[in-house]
């Protein structure tokens, strides 16, 4: 057996889970376990207690609340990927989900788990930041919510405090008539960690002019970042300015070099993929046939 | 700690440490060694099993978490002792394996794909097995095996339109009775073509 020994408990409510979590600083929550179990196997994590929240009914499911689609933390990535509600209301998330891990990890991996894990190259946090999602958190003192941009601090670092449990992610739904999305990613192998990922969502008016635009870049810095592309407002899909707007916006990125890709490469790819994602999103919003393609370096 | 597992239709309760993965429990406690231990940290796919029909990595779930699911291992795919499932047989036909280490995971992943999508494109197949590593075949014959199995499953027991041109088509190839005994038992691959591909 590879992991160090631990005790295993399955609480019957979120409140009970938070109590257990707050009572022992060596306790960890486990849901899908697709990141935590490898860390246990390599003994990078050695919790004394694993608190299994995977089957708590109150944490699972997808529901509409006002202008937001609320996805329970332990909703499996696979179920979100197959959800008609997600496809209809959150096309950007629907487009990004097939890029998350592999099917056999999406089967157990959860939406909230990916958010809580805060990998800088992860797709679900990227979509959350791009759309300005809210992260719901419960602890023994009660429930609260914070914007995704405040939630993610750095690589595998979040604002979650000891005793906190992420309970749901609230993705805002754009209500405009013509909304389109685009998603591009470069990785070494299919569904491997992204060197760069770009997620874009735009809304056009009836004349095809942009009235709202969001672009997020993941994998480049220490967390996913939403860029300022408001320069696109009023522009059309064939705008020659598009690439310049993205290039100007990406100057805020702080790319890092590693074994797989240099900072310079990441920066160039961010501009290219960001431009493509926006072009795709505009074409999608106009109802054009739009290829969605990935790239493997 | 007690764990009640329903594996290949049979329910068994075992006593395991919480840190024992489902993979280790299947192999050590239940004697089902068809699920292979490769990387044991969720990278290679050799340990793939089906949970309620969907592929999962059995090294990334603890046995104590696996109660209440219908668990299917490679041993549970064959329709009867000594027989192979259509997907298993397709892997034999197309030489979709060499050393065999990745094969149970590949077959279960392919099986799960075909349960959801009877007519997958090559890209669908490549995507489905992208989480399973094979170091022998170069994947070409594995993809071919799943394409072949899909084709067979689509054709097997396909309903016929009795008012259209299918109406007078025989359900059994009338020549099979004569050409099969004379020329030996048809390979399953040949049996799919008229007269086993023989004129």
């Amino acid at each position: 057996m590879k992991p160090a020994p631990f005790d295993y408990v399955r609480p019957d409510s979120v409140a009970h889970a938070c109590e257990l979590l707050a009572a022992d600083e060596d306790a960890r929550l486990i849901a899908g376990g697709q990141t935590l179990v490898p860390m246990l196997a390599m003994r990078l994590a050695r919790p004394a207690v694993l608190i299994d929240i995977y089957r708590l009914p109150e944490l699972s499911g997808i529901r509409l609340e006002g202008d937001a689609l609320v996805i329970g933390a332990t909703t499996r990535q696979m179920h979100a990927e197959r959800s008609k509600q997600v496809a209809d209301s959150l096309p950007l998330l629907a487009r990004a989900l097939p890029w998350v891990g592999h099917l056999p990890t999406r089967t157990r991996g959860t939406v909230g788990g990916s958010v809580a894990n805060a990998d800088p190259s992860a797709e679900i946090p990227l979509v959350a930041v791009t759309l300005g999602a809210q992260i719901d958190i419960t602890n023994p003192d009660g429930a609260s919510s914070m914007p995704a941009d405040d939630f993610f601090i750095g690589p595998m670092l979040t604002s979650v405090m000891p005793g906190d449990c992420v309970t749901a992610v609230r993705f805002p739904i754009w209500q405009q008539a013509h909304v389109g999305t685009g998603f591009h990613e470069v990785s070494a192998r299919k569904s491997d960690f992204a060197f760069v990922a770009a997620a874009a969502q735009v809304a056009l008016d009836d004349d095809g002019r942009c009235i709202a635009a969001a672009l997020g870049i993941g994998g480049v810095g220490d967390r996913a970042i939403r860029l300022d592309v408001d320069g696109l407002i009023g522009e059309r899909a064939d705008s020659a300015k598009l690439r310049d707007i993205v290039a100007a916006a990406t100057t805020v990125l702080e790319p890092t070099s590693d074994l797989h890709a240099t900072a310079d490469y990441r920066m160039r790819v961010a501009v290219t993929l960001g431009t493509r994602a926006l072009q795709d999103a505009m074409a999608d919003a106009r109802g054009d046939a739009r290829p969605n393609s990935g790239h493997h370096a | 700690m007690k764990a009640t597992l329903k594996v290949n239709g049979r329910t068994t309760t075992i006593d395991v440490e919480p840190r024992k993965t489902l993979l280790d429990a299947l192999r050590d406690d239940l004697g089902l060694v068809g699920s292979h231990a490769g990387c044991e940290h969720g990278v290679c796919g050799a340990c793939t099993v089906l949970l309620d029909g969907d592929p999962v990595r059995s090294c990334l779930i603890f046995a104590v978490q696996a109660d209440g699911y219908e668990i299917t291992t490679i041993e549970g795919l064959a329709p009867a002792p000594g027989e192979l499932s259509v997907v298993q047989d397709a892997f034999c036909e197309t030489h979709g394996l060499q050393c065999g280490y990745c094969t149970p995971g590949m077959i279960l992943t392919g099986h799960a794909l075909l349960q959801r999508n009877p007519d997958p494109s090559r890209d669908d197949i490549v995507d489905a097995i992208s989480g399973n590593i094979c170091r022998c075949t170069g994947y070409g014959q594995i993809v071919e095996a799943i394409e072949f199995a899909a084709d067979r499953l689509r054709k097997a027991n396909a309903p016929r339109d009795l008012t259209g041109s299918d109406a007078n088509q025989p359900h059994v190839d009338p020549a099979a009775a004569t050409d099969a005994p004379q020329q030996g038992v048809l390979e399953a691959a040949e049996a799919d073509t008229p007269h086993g591909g023989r004129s």
Side-chain angles (χ1 to χ4, degrees):
Chain A
M1 281 173 281
K2 296 180 79 179
F6 53 80
D7 289 331
Y8 174 85
V9 284
R10 206 183 277 179
D12 50 21
S13 68
V14 175
H16 186 203
C18 288
E19 257 173 55
L20 293 167
L21 191 60
D24 186 343
E25 63 179 21
D26 290 327
R28 288 282 300 263
L29 295 176
I30 185 168
Q34 301 300 290
T35 305
L36 180 56
V37 180
M39 288 176 64
L40 297 173
M42 291 183 270
R43 301 206 175 188
L44 295 171
R46 300 178 69 137
V49 185
L50 279 188
I51 302 163
D52 190 350
I53 57 170
Y54 198 54
R55 302 195 195 201
L56 291 177
E58 57 195 298
L59 286 181
S60 182
I62 301 171
R63 61 188 187 274
L64 203 59
E65 276 186 24
D67 286 349
L69 195 66
V70 182
I71 302 185
T74 62
T75 305
R76 299 188 202 183
Q77 292 156 6
M78 173 187 74
H79 289 154
E81 186 181 354
R82 292 175 185 169
S83 156
K84 188 170 182 317
Q85 264 185 312
V86 171
D88 292 345
S89 311
L90 285 178
L92 185 58
L93 185 63
R95 207 181 280 290
L97 278 165
W99 293 91
V100 178
H102 302 279
L103 175 62
T105 62
R106 294 196 295 275
T107 307
R108 292 221 16 110
T110 64
V111 172
S114 176
V115 166
N117 191 49
D119 189 303
S121 66
E123 292 83 1
I124 296 171
L126 170 60
V127 172
V129 167
T130 304
L131 295 180
Q134 291 279 126
I135 317 293
D136 286 0
I137 294 165
T138 293
N139 62 30
D141 299 329
S144 61
S145 195
M146 74 168 78
D149 200 38
D150 296 338
F151 179 87
F152 299 109
I153 301 174
M156 326 314 251
L157 275 180
T158 69
S159 304
V160 156
M161 303 297 286
D164 282 358
C165 173
V166 172
T167 54
V169 187
R170 295 172 178 271
F171 291 93
I173 300 170
W174 287 18
Q175 305 292 341
Q176 296 92 334
H178 309 288
V179 174
T181 59
F183 190 91
H184 282 270
E185 179 171 318
V186 169
S187 59
R189 285 166 296 271
K190 171 70 198 165
S191 270
D192 211 328
F193 293 100
F195 301 158
V196 181
Q201 182 157 309
V202 301
L204 305 181
D205 64 15
D206 290 342
D207 295 329
R209 286 196 182 79
C210 179
I211 49 176
L215 174 66
I217 299 287
V220 172
D222 59 359
R223 63 196 185 108
I225 298 283
R226 178 171 170 171
L227 303 178
D228 178 1
V229 287
D230 284 349
L232 275 176
I233 305 291
E235 296 293 324
R236 292 174 182 280
D238 55 1
S239 170
K241 288 192 208 163
L242 209 145
R243 190 181 175 92
D244 293 339
I245 291 168
V246 174
T250 49
T251 53
V252 301
L253 294 174
E254 294 170 2
T256 49
S257 291
D258 61 20
L259 198 60
H260 303 292
T262 62
D264 182 52
Y265 171 82
R266 285 196 157 93
M267 201 65 178
R268 279 185 288 127
V269 175
V271 175
T272 300
L273 294 192
T275 306
R276 281 184 197 161
L278 279 169
Q279 281 169 338
D280 279 4
M282 290 186 118
D284 185 31
R286 287 198 314 191
D288 301 351
R290 171 208 32 74
N292 179 40
S293 58
H295 313 269
H296 306 295
Chain B
M1 197 169 175
K2 293 267 190 281
T4 300
L5 305 178
K6 186 173 184 190
V7 184
N8 302 331
R10 279 190 232 178
T11 304
T12 317
T13 298
I14 53 175
D15 196 7
V16 292
E17 276 190 67
R19 61 173 168 154
K20 190 168 222 176
T21 61
L22 174 61
L23 170 66
D24 286 343
L26 289 170
R27 292 180 59 87
D28 302 346
D29 297 80
L30 300 177
L32 297 170
V33 293
S35 306
H36 289 167
C39 70
E40 296 179 84
H41 61 267
V43 177
C44 76
C47 68
T48 303
V49 301
L50 305 183
L51 243 54
D52 291 342
D54 293 309
V56 302
R57 303 197 183 308
S58 63
C59 72
L60 293 189
I61 171 172
F62 295 109
V64 292
Q65 294 178 289
D67 56 294
Y69 297 111
E70 297 274 351
I71 302 165
T72 308
T73 68
I74 191 68
E75 291 90 346
L77 270 200
E83 294 183 8
L84 295 177
S85 77
V86 172
V87 181
Q88 287 174 313
D89 190 56
F91 271 71
C92 298
E93 289 295 332
T94 63
H95 301 277
L97 63 141
Q98 287 179 31
C99 86
Y101 209 83
C102 73
T103 310
M106 287 287 186
I107 287 175
L108 285 163
T109 305
H111 175 88
L113 170 71
L114 298 182
Q115 292 293 307
R116 291 189 59 80
N117 179 359
D119 191 12
S121 67
R122 194 179 169 83
D123 281 349
D124 292 335
I125 295 171
V126 169
D127 185 59
I129 63 167
S130 67
N132 295 63
I133 293 175
C134 171
R135 296 283 85 137
C136 304
T137 63
Y139 302 99
Q141 287 144 295
I142 293 173
V143 174
E144 202 181 312
I146 297 171
E147 282 177 332
F148 184 40
D151 185 61
R152 276 189 186 168
L153 287 166
R154 278 196 306 275
K155 287 176 180 166
N157 302 319
R160 288 147 190 260
D161 177 3
L162 295 179
T163 59
S165 59
D166 289 350
N168 295 319
Q169 292 293 318
H171 285 254
V172 176
D173 183 348
T178 51
D179 61 9
Q182 284 164 10
Q183 301 191 26
V185 176
L186 288 177
E187 285 293 318
E190 297 167 334
D192 282 346
T193 59
H195 310 283
R198 296 158 189 174
S199 54

